[in-house]
């Protein structure tokens, strides 16, 4: 009987006789972000592993793929549920090509002695810049002006009133690595930056020139709100009708974290009733949005296709980073970025 939990370099037979036989581990690649596995191949082959590509991202397909595999690398759209993890005795590691792990059942991974690794620093520059870009696009109504000019309308007054950023207050919901980078970029705009995060100390925020406040205080004070929290039970629909009611009518809401942090129906209602001014969204509750999504026909919403993470450089960092984490586990080493349900996200 073969014990698949051993290192891929060892196979255990019968009464415990260990033969020094090389066994190639299988890594299933189900990830549209790192579509070119060339960088990963070198890293994984060095750990005596081969790659199998899985195109279909359904629970049933993933379950079949991991049945005899030692590792799987996934993106945000791949369901790694308890049913998937309970179905295999060979799987050692799940590599999340990205930061968020809300598509992976972390408790089931722990129960099955499966390590989960992510790449928490690969796109700090890109996402923080993207959040700033969405904010600036909303502040200056750039997409609206662009569409109007291309449609033959030359009228600066169409977007009145616009306001200067200097002297306004921006609230960061979450103060992990990405919002810290964003806070540094905002210094030149003359805005006051406040933040809420139960895992970050007041002193740490002061290091970035940021004031720590309670979540409710942030809602009451800001003209700009940028969301940077992971999605889990405690943050799902963190922004709903009550939160939008507390925000200023001039408030611009930017979300580059996870779509489920915002109650999308409540957001549409808040925009329609003038409870907030605009929204810049890189993430949605359902991606891509349905053809009849009310967000698609609103001039007060700027949308991008979950692209905040992307640059050629970050894609390369991501591909190598997740492969290195997976390879470490396959070699029997402790990976740098192991994730469990107890991980402190900040």
């Amino acid at each position: 009987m073969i014990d698949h939990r051993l290192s891929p370099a060892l196979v255990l037979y019968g009464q415990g006789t260990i033969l020094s036989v090389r066994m190639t581990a299988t890594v299933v690649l189900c990830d549209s972000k790192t579509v070119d596995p060339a960088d990963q191949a070198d890293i994984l082959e060095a750990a005596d592993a081969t790659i199998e590509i899985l195109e279909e991202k359904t629970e049933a397909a993933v379950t079949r793929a991991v049945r005899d595999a030692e590792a799987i690398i996934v993106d945000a759209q791949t369901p790694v549920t308890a049913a998937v993890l309970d179905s295999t005795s060979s799987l050692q590691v799940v590599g999340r090509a990205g930061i968020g792990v809300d598509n992976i059942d972390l408790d089931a991974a722990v129960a099955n002695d499966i390590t989960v690794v992510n790449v928490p620093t690969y796109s700090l520059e890109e996402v923080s810049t993207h959040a700033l870009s969405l904010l600036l696009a909303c502040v200056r109504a750039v997409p609206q002006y662009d569409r109007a000019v291309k449609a033959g309308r030359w009228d600066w007054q169409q977007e009145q009133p616009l306001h200067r950023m200097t002297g306004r207050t921006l609230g960061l919901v979450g103060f992990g690595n990405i919002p810290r980078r964003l806070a540094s970029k905002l210094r030149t705009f003359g805005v006051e930056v406040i933040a809420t995060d139960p895992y970050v100390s007041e002193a740490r925020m002061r290091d970035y020139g940021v004031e720590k406040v309670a979540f409710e205080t942030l809602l009451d004070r800001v003209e700009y709100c940028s969301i940077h929290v992971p999605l889990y039970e405690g943050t799902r629909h963190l922004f709903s009708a009550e939160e939008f009611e507390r925000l200023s009518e001039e408030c611009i809401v930017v979300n580059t974290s996870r779509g489920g942090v915002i109650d999308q129906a409540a957001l549409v209602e808040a925009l329609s009733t003038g409870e907030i001014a605009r929204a810049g969204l890189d993430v949605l509750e359902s991606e891509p949005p349905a053809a009849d999504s009310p967000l698609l026909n609103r001039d007060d919403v700027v949308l991008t296709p979950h692209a905040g993470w992307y640059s050629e450089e970050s894609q390369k960092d991501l591909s190598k980073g997740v492969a290195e984490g997976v390879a470490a586990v396959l070699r029997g080493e402790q990976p740098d970025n192991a994730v469990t349900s107890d991980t402190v996200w900040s």
Side-chain angles (χ1 to χ4, degrees):
M1 179 178 179
I2 298 177
D3 184 350
H4 291 287
R5 292 291 184 179
L6 294 176
S7 163
L10 300 175
V11 183
L12 180 64
Y13 286 94
Q15 300 302 312
T17 303
I18 297 178
L19 303 180
S20 181
V21 178
R22 299 298 291 181
M23 182 183 76
T24 300
T26 298
V27 179
V28 177
L29 181 61
C30 184
D31 164 33
S32 58
K33 283 187 177 179
T34 55
V35 291
D36 182 0
D39 290 326
Q40 294 176 325
D42 290 341
I43 295 168
L44 294 171
E45 285 172 5
D48 203 26
T50 58
I51 297 174
E52 292 183 358
I53 305 295
L54 177 65
E55 299 287 351
E56 186 179 353
K57 298 183 180 183
T58 64
E59 185 180 61
V62 176
T63 299
R64 289 191 299 270
V66 300
R67 187 166 295 140
D68 297 312
E70 283 71 29
I72 184 170
I73 295 175
V74 302
D75 61 15
Q77 306 306 315
T78 308
V80 186
T81 62
V84 169
L85 298 173
D86 290 342
S87 71
T88 174
S89 61
S90 61
L91 196 66
Q92 298 177 29
V93 56
V94 177
R96 169 66 171 91
I99 300 173
V101 290
D102 46 284
N103 60 310
I104 302 170
D105 191 318
L106 297 177
D107 290 332
V110 171
N112 285 280
D113 196 25
I114 297 169
T115 303
V116 177
V117 297
N118 69 345
V119 193
T121 60
Y122 80 101
S123 61
L124 304 184
E125 188 66 28
E126 287 76 12
V127 179
S128 59
T129 297
H130 202 84
L132 180 58
S133 300
L134 287 172
L135 175 63
L136 294 175
C138 290
V139 168
R140 295 304 305 167
V142 173
Q144 294 86 346
Y145 278 133
D146 174 72
R147 287 192 294 269
V149 171
K150 290 175 180 176
R153 184 180 178 191
W154 187 271
D155 180 12
W156 64 267
Q157 294 176 308
Q158 71 175 46
E159 294 301 325
Q160 287 182 312
L162 298 181
H163 299 281
R164 66 176 54 163
M165 291 180 68
T166 303
R168 303 218 149 203
T169 301
L170 181 141
L172 298 169
V173 181
F175 201 66
N177 290 321
I178 290 170
R180 291 175 192 182
R181 188 75 188 97
L182 177 58
S184 298
K185 294 177 180 181
L186 286 165
R187 287 175 182 160
T188 60
F189 289 89
V191 298
E192 178 187 12
V193 182
I194 63 178
T196 184
D197 192 318
Y199 300 108
V200 180
S201 70
E202 183 177 350
R204 185 60 170 153
M205 289 191 185
R206 277 202 305 269
D207 290 341
Y208 290 85
V210 173
E211 177 189 354
K212 179 171 183 172
V213 299
F215 180 53
E216 293 76 13
T217 301
L218 181 145
L219 297 175
D220 293 338
R221 284 179 54 181
V222 300
E223 286 88 17
Y224 312 132
C225 182
S226 190
I227 303 171
H228 303 276
V229 294
L231 180 62
Y232 58 95
E233 198 55 38
T235 61
R236 187 174 297 278
H237 287 187
L238 179 65
F239 280 79
S240 196
E242 181 179 348
E243 288 71 33
F244 289 125
E245 287 173 5
R246 294 189 71 146
L247 290 170
S248 162
E249 294 179 355
E250 297 178 353
C251 189
I252 293 170
V253 176
V254 172
N255 188 13
T256 53
S257 60
R258 281 291 183 268
V261 175
I262 291 179
D263 181 335
Q264 202 161 286
L267 172 65
V268 171
E269 180 66 17
L271 289 164
S272 298
T273 59
E275 289 175 344
I276 63 172
R278 288 193 169 103
L281 308 174
D282 186 48
V283 290
L284 302 174
E285 282 198 273
S286 179
E287 297 177 359
D292 61 352
S293 170
L295 292 174
L296 299 179
N297 298 316
R298 300 197 65 93
D299 281 340
D300 50 10
V301 176
V302 179
L303 297 173
T304 54
H306 205 145
W309 65 275
Y310 169 70
S311 72
E312 289 296 302
E313 293 79 10
S314 68
Q315 189 172 41
K316 193 174 187 68
D317 290 345
L318 176 62
S319 182
K320 294 178 66 176
V322 70
E324 287 167 352
V326 167
V329 176
L330 294 179
R331 290 193 300 265
E333 302 170 1
Q334 179 64 33
D336 291 335
N337 299 313
V339 181
T340 72
S341 54
D342 295 327
T343 298
V344 177
W345 293 103
S346 296

